[in-house]
Amino acid sequence: MNSTTWTRTLLGGLTLAAATVGAWWAWLGWETGYTVDPETGATSGPYAPWQVAGCVLTLALIAAVGGWLLSPWVVAPVMTITFTIAWAAHAAATDDTGLWAVGALLVLVGAALGTTVVSGGAWLIRRGRTGRSAG
């Protein structure tokens, strides 16, 4: 890997990590409360469905752009590890049951699958477009 590629990959990875933490914070990082339904006593939360959907869509956009500009071999691990650490650190600090570890494992698997599929798809589409325009 030449120095230009290495620098681009490093800066791209750092940008991906920052954008991933930003997405986590914007959608989920500020939420700490649970909601109790006064009629049924059922507890839900801490996230509302719209927060999770917004976070997933934002992460998908970041992964797609990342996959277009970089290799999925960079995008998937950087985003997966960054998001999992951000989520787990917050969850561990606010959870008294210890179940945050189970959630962190589920976040890790979901983030790995999602970022791999989206960034890989974007990379394949770009590669296909580049191949047609060159030929």
Side-chain angles (χ1 to χ4, degrees), residues 50-124:
W50 63 267
Q51 288 175 282
V52 176
C55 189
V56 168
L57 291 173
T58 302
L59 291 171
L61 178 63
I62 295 167
V65 171
W68 189 268
L69 299 174
L70 301 165
S71 167
W73 293 105
V74 173
V75 177
V78 167
M79 287 186 70
T80 298
I81 291 167
T82 303
F83 190 82
T84 302
I85 288 172
W87 187 92
H90 185 263
T94 58
D95 179 36
D96 296 331
T97 66
L99 288 175
W100 69 267
V102 175
L105 180 61
L106 294 173
V107 166
L108 177 75
V109 171
L113 289 171
T115 58
T116 299
V117 168
V118 173
S119 66
W123 182 81
L124 287 172

Side-chain angles (χ1 to χ4, degrees), residues 9 27 44 53 66 72 83 89:
T9 301
W27 292 105
S44 64
F83 190 82

Side-chain angles (χ1 to χ4, degrees), residues 22-59:
W24 169 79
W25 179 254
W27 292 105
L28 308 176
W30 51 271
E31 184 66 77
T32 59
Y34 287 84
T35 304
V36 178
D37 185 328
E39 292 182 21
T40 65
T43 303
S44 64
Y47 312 119
W50 63 267
Q51 288 175 282
V52 176
C55 189
V56 168
L57 291 173
T58 302
L59 291 171

